Amino acid sequence: MGLISWAQINIPPPREACGPSKPIGPRKRVPLRPCTTCNRRIVRLVGFSLSLFHSPSLSAFLHRPPFPDAAHHRSLTSSSPSPWIWVAAMDPLESEVDSRKSNNKPRYSKFTQQELPACKPLLTPGIVISAFLLIGVIFVPIGLASLSASQEIVELVDRYDANCVPASDKVEFIQNSDTDKTCTRTLTVPKHMKSPIQIYYQIGDFYQNHRRYVKSRSDKQLRYKNAVHLTKDCDPEGNTIDGAPIVPCGLIAWSMFNDTYTISVNKKAINVNKKDIAWKSDKTSKFGSDIYPSNFQKGSLIGGAKLNESIPLSEQEDLIVWMRTAALPTFRKLYGRIETDIMANDQVTVVIQNNYNTYSFGGSKALVLSTTSWIGGKNSFIGVAYLTIGGLCIFLAVGFVVLLYMVKPSSSCCFCLIFYEFTDP
C-alpha cells in the first residue's frame, strides 16, 4: 500500500438530539450524528481505528501530527465546538503502478496459454505390444546388416613404436637427427582385400582435444592473405626470433605427424595415392589457395613435419587432415590409399621412417591397413547395439502377450497389476 495522506475536516456541531434519525425513504437512512445531551461526539475514522493514531512513530509515518497529550485526546471526545474527522486517501502513484501492472499482461494466444492441440497416445496393452514389435522388427535387420558388413572388412593393425627404436634411450634416439630411423615391417594378409585400401596412422595417448592445444591456431591466417600477421592466438609458435610471422602458426601445425610409409606387396612397390584424403569443405572453406607456408619449422626446436613452401595450404592435404583435431586420445588419421587389390597370404612390406616423437609423453604409434564398406571402417558396436535393442523389444512384446492373454491375471501377478495400472486409460 502506498503512502497515506490525511486531511482534517472540520464538521460543525449539529443541533439535533443524539441517536439515529428517522429513515428517509424506503432505502435511505441518515448517518449517526453527535450526541449533544450526553456531551460527547462520535468520531468516524475511515480506514483505521482511532486508537492506532496514539503512537507518535506511526503518526510520523502517516505524515500527520500526533496527539500532543491526553488532554487533547479528551478534547476530541468532549463537547468541543469542532470535532476532527480523519479521512484516508490513496497515493496517486499507487494507482498508476497498479494500472501499469495490468498493462504488462502478455497478449493472449494459444501458445502462451498452452492451449495448442496436442496428441496423447493411449497406452493400451495392444498399442504397447505393437510398438515393441515394430521397433524390434526394424532394429534387428539393421543390426544384422551392420554386423555382417563390419565382419567383411579386413583390417591389419601393426604397432611399430616399440620395435623401431633401441630399448636403451628412446627419447634421445628419436631426437637425434643424425641417427638412421628406418624401420622395416612385414605383414601377412589373412583375407582378400579389395581396393581401395585405406592407410591410416594411429596415435595413442595424444590429447588433441586439450583446450590450449585446440586454440593454438589462427583460422584467419589460414584463409586470408591479408591476415598473415594475425598470430596472437598461436603462441609460442606465432613468430620467429626476428618477429616474422610463422605460416601456418600454432602448436597444431607445429606438431604435425611426420612418419612416412613405403609399401610393397610381394617385393613389388605399390603406389600410395595421397589425393583427396582431406574433406573437400576444409580445402575450399578453411585453407586459402593463395596462402603459402613461410618460416615454418625454422626454430630451434622442430616439432613435426615440414611443408613445401611452393605449394599453397589448400593443396597440402596432410596438413589439412592433421589440423582437424580428434576428440579422443587414441585416434586414426588417413595417410593415403592403395588402388590395387591385395590377395590373401600376400606379404606386405612397409618401410617406415620413424621420425615422430611419441616417446617423450608415453604415446604409441601404429600402422593400419583397412578396407571399407557402406558403414565405413570396421565397427561392430553399431550392429551389436541395434541387435540388443531390437531383441529386448521383441522379448518384452512376447512377454506381455504371454502375461496378458495366456496367463489369467490374478492378485498374485504383481507385474500384471502394474502393467494394467500404467496402461489403463
Side-chain angles (χ1 to χ4, degrees):
M1 185 175 181
L3 298 176
I4 301 177
S5 59
W6 298 85
Q8 298 179 355
I9 304 176
N10 192 359
I11 301 178
R15 300 178 181 178
E16 291 82 354
C18 66
S21 60
K22 295 180 180 181
I24 303 175
R27 296 184 180 179
K28 294 183 181 180
R29 181 178 294 274
V30 178
L32 294 176
R33 299 172 182 267
C35 181
T36 55
T37 57
C38 56
N39 195 19
R40 63 187 178 89
R41 298 184 181 276
I42 299 176
V43 179
R44 303 184 64 191
L45 177 65
V46 180
F48 291 90
S49 173
L50 184 63
S51 61
L52 293 176
F53 299 102
H54 295 179
S55 173
S57 60
L58 184 60
S59 301
F61 174 74
L62 298 176
H63 302 285
R64 72 171 188 84
F67 294 124
D69 49 20
H72 182 69
H73 176 261
R74 288 194 299 270
S75 66
L76 290 177
T77 57
S78 62
S79 58
S80 57
S82 58
W84 298 93
I85 293 180
W86 299 90
V87 181
M90 291 295 296
D91 192 347
L93 293 177
E94 183 178 359
S95 60
E96 182 179 353
V97 172
D98 293 340
S99 62
R100 190 181 304 163
K101 288 181 179 179
S102 62
N103 293 333
N104 288 336
K105 292 182 179 179
R107 296 177 58 185
Y108 172 79
S109 66
K110 292 184 178 181
F111 177 77
T112 58
Q113 299 300 323
Q114 299 183 4
E115 296 179 358
L116 293 174
C119 178
K120 182 179 180 182
L122 299 177
L123 297 180
T124 60
I127 293 178
V128 173
I129 293 172
S130 301
F132 278 128
L133 282 176
L134 180 62
I135 295 174
V137 169
I138 294 176
F139 275 40
V140 168
I142 295 177
L144 291 175
S146 301
L147 197 59
S148 175
S150 179
Q151 295 297 328
E152 292 178 358
I153 295 174
V154 183
E155 183 178 274
L156 297 178
V157 180
D158 179 50
R159 179 175 175 177
Y160 61 88
D161 60 297
N163 298 322
C164 291
V165 292
S168 58
D169 194 347
K170 298 179 181 180
V171 177
E172 183 180 356
F173 174 83
I174 204 70
Q175 289 180 349
N176 189 355
S177 59
D178 297 330
T179 58
D180 184 15
K181 300 180 178 63
T182 303
C183 179
T184 303
R185 305 289 293 173
T186 302
L187 307 175
T188 301
V189 179
K191 295 173 61 176
H192 176 219
M193 301 182 70
K194 296 181 180 180
S195 62
I197 301 172
Q198 313 294 328
I199 305 174
Y200 300 95
Y201 56 89
Q202 177 177 301
I203 301 179
D205 295 330
F206 190 108
Y207 292 86
Q208 276 196 321
N209 60 348
H210 192 279
R211 181 180 61 85
R212 293 184 63 184
Y213 184 85
V214 172
K215 293 177 62 178
S216 183
R217 61 185 294 169
S218 177
D219 291 329
K220 292 184 178 179
Q221 183 200 61
L222 299 174
R223 184 70 180 91
Y224 304 106
K225 189 174 182 179
N226 57 358
V228 173
H229 63 284
L230 299 178
T231 60
K232 180 180 179 181
D233 297 331
C234 297
D235 290 337
E237 293 296 325
N239 298 284
T240 61
I241 300 176
D242 300 333
I246 299 174
V247 182
C249 67
L251 290 175
I252 303 178
W254 176 80
S255 61
M256 180 180 167
F257 187 78
N258 61 344
D259 284 3
T260 60
Y261 308 122
T262 302
I263 299 176
S264 61
V265 179
N266 297 329
K267 298 182 180 181
K268 181 180 179 180
I270 297 296
N271 183 34
V272 177
N273 183 13
K274 299 178 71 69
K275 293 292 184 180
D276 298 328
I277 62 174
W279 291 13
K280 185 178 180 180
S281 59
D282 289 350
K283 293 190 293 183
T284 57
S285 302
K286 293 186 177 181
F287 294 84
S289 59
D290 55 349
I291 310 298
Y292 293 85
S294 63
N295 303 315
F296 187 70
Q297 301 288 13
K298 293 184 178 180
S300 58
L301 184 62
I302 304 300
K306 296 183 179 181
L307 299 176
N308 190 343
E309 295 187 356
S310 62
I311 301 177
L313 295 183
S314 60
E315 297 180 11
Q316 309 237 15
E317 299 196 37
D318 287 330
L319 172 68
I320 299 173
V321 171
W322 179 258
M323 293 289 286
R324 178 169 285 275
T325 56
L328 300 177
T330 300
F331 55 87
R332 295 178 181 180
K333 291 184 181 292
L334 187 61
Y335 179 84
R337 296 185 183 92
I338 299 176
E339 303 294 344
T340 59
D341 293 357
I342 300 178
M343 306 305 295
N345 299 322
D346 282 351
Q347 297 294 319
V348 178
T349 303
V350 183
V351 180
I352 304 173
Q353 290 295 327
N354 187 23
N355 300 316
Y356 199 69
N357 184 11
T358 59
Y359 307 98
S360 59
F361 58 87
S364 62
K365 295 185 293 183
L367 171 68
V368 181
L369 301 179
S370 175
T371 58
T372 57
S373 65
W374 60 271
I375 63 169
K378 191 177 184 64
N379 188 358
S380 301
F381 174 78
I382 297 177
V384 173
Y386 272 101
L387 284 176
T388 303
I389 300 300
L392 181 61
C393 290
I394 292 177
F395 173 77
L396 291 176
V398 173
F400 288 157
V401 169
V402 171
L403 291 175
L404 295 177
Y405 297 104
M406 296 183 182
V407 179
K408 294 182 179 180
S410 60
S411 58
S412 61
C413 184
C414 299
F415 180 80
C416 299
L417 292 176
I418 294 174
F419 184 79
Y420 272 115
E421 179 70 23
F422 283 95
T423 58
D424 189 8

